[in-house]
Amino acid sequence: MASTYLTRTISSAGSETTSTFSAWFKRSAVTGTQYLLHTSESAGNDFKIIFNSTSKLRVIGVNNSSDVMDLTTNRVFRDVGAFYNIVVVFDTTQATEADRVKIYINGVQETSFSTATYPSQNLNLKLNQSGDRVTIGTAYDNGGSPAAAYWNGLMSQVIWVDGTAYAPTTFGSVNATSGEWTPNSSPSVTYGTNGYKLTFEDAVLGDDTSGNTNDFTMSGSG
């Protein structure tokens, strides 16, 4: 299995309550835990989007070693032949708890969860903080080494928006001919301080094409 991953360290603080993540992914294997995204501040303080060992999608936030957010789908993702679009929208300022974190797959909101722990209103999640290490494709343990839960598959158009909650229709739409959810190659968004767009089409795979130059460093081996 490949052990390539991307990392960057945040140098300027952004929003800790509101962000949007979008990515297109295709799984190549469905064994073990695999990380799409991990943000780590310190021991017991992190955020992650993963597929667990039973192929369920989980969005988890940990503050002071306590799970303040955990959405685990009942749905499993075992189709290794399909590309999916995931959009996760965070806005802890919302009065209704189910509106504080929303997960969409191919434009359709996930509403069936085996675990549904929502953050409290106005909670500062471990997002966009100065000094945070952002990792795509694995997680970093507390000793500063990859935790080996590597992503096994493909990714494209990985987007992070700092400070704004966007609908999934910002990033994709239903093709009128095929009926399939297709990407918007040039989404109209305000990326914010720590926002980025990774298309993986450049010679340097971690290049941010959002205009922010929030570039990532590639490590590991393919």
Side-chain angles (χ1 to χ4, degrees):
M1 182 176 69
S3 57
T4 301
Y5 57 94
L6 299 170
T7 60
R8 73 174 289 262
T9 299
I10 294 174
S11 59
S12 299
S15 175
E16 297 179 44
T17 63
T18 310
S19 287
T20 307
F21 173 77
S22 174
W24 293 77
F25 69 88
K26 179 180 179 182
R27 305 192 72 189
S28 295
V30 294
T31 56
T33 298
Q34 297 180 29
Y35 277 70
L36 274 174
L37 181 71
H38 184 234
T39 299
S40 178
E41 177 196 58
S42 58
N45 293 281
D46 66 349
F47 156 77
K48 47 203 160 192
I49 299 175
I50 69 172
F51 289 93
N52 67 13
S53 59
T54 60
S55 293
K56 293 182 177 182
L57 175 65
R58 296 186 70 188
V59 178
I60 307 167
V62 182
N63 289 16
N64 299 317
S65 299
S66 296
D67 286 357
V68 295
M69 173 177 63
D70 186 352
L71 296 182
T72 303
T73 63
N74 281 312
R75 179 182 180 179
V76 296
F77 295 83
R78 294 183 177 138
D79 185 352
V80 296
F83 257 102
Y84 299 90
N85 173 226
I86 178 174
V87 175
V88 185
V89 185
F90 307 93
D91 186 356
T92 68
T93 68
Q94 295 295 317
T96 301
E97 67 171 16
D99 290 337
R100 296 173 198 156
V101 184
K102 297 179 181 179
I103 301 171
Y104 299 87
I105 300 294
N106 294 344
V108 179
Q109 186 173 358
E110 293 289 313
T111 58
S112 179
F113 300 103
S114 58
T115 301
T117 301
Y118 291 93
S120 59
Q121 189 173 17
N122 297 314
L123 179 69
N124 288 336
L125 298 170
K126 302 307 175 182
L127 310 172
N128 303 311
Q129 298 183 100
S130 180
D132 285 1
R133 184 201 298 267
V134 183
T135 308
I136 296 171
T138 189
Y140 258 76
D141 63 25
N142 296 331
S145 301
Y150 296 107
W151 175 249
N152 194 335
L154 303 175
M155 292 189 208
S156 65
Q157 195 161 297
V158 176
I159 293 173
W160 183 267
V161 174
D162 175 358
T164 307
Y166 284 102
T169 49
T170 303
F171 308 99
S173 62
V174 176
N175 183 284
T177 302
S178 67
E180 296 180 347
W181 187 253
T182 55
N184 178 357
S185 59
S186 300
S188 179
V189 301
T190 299
Y191 285 94
T193 301
N194 292 296
Y196 52 82
K197 179 183 179 183
L198 308 179
T199 62
F200 306 116
E201 295 173 351
D202 300 309
V204 180
L205 292 182
D207 278 356
D208 170 25
T209 62
S210 73
N212 277 350
T213 64
N214 287 327
D215 297 331
F216 283 70
T217 299
M218 186 173 68
S219 300
S221 57

